[in-house]
Amino acid sequence: MRKDLFNFGPALGYFFRKPDPTRHTNFNLRTMHFINKLSMAMFLVGFIILLYRWFLR
């Protein structure tokens, strides 16, 4: 089994990284990143609910 298969470091780093002051930002880019973070959080909540229903019921 490959070690890097379950490497979630880059995904978790996306949530907790600080803004890069050298990058240009605008409303569209900020909105895109917000929607990406929101969709990943909703997916994780849904996945946790599915795991709860499968294993604890």
Side-chain angles (χ1 to χ4, degrees):
M1 189 162 159
R2 293 177 37 182
K3 288 183 179 180
D4 59 339
L5 185 61
F6 292 103
N7 184 9
F8 295 112
L12 293 175
Y14 181 77
F15 279 101
F16 301 112
R17 68 180 174 193
K18 295 179 181 172
D20 186 5
T22 61
R23 272 195 179 168
H24 179 69
T25 183
N26 59 18
F27 175 76
N28 292 333
L29 189 61
R30 287 192 312 265
T31 304
M32 180 195 69
H33 283 292
F34 172 75
I35 291 171
N36 284 344
K37 290 177 184 180
L38 182 63
S39 65
M40 283 191 280
M42 289 173 64
F43 172 78
L44 290 175
V45 167
F47 188 68
I48 290 170
I49 290 171
L50 281 176
L51 288 175
Y52 171 75
R53 288 181 180 175
W54 286 338
F55 293 114
L56 296 178
R57 283 192 174 181

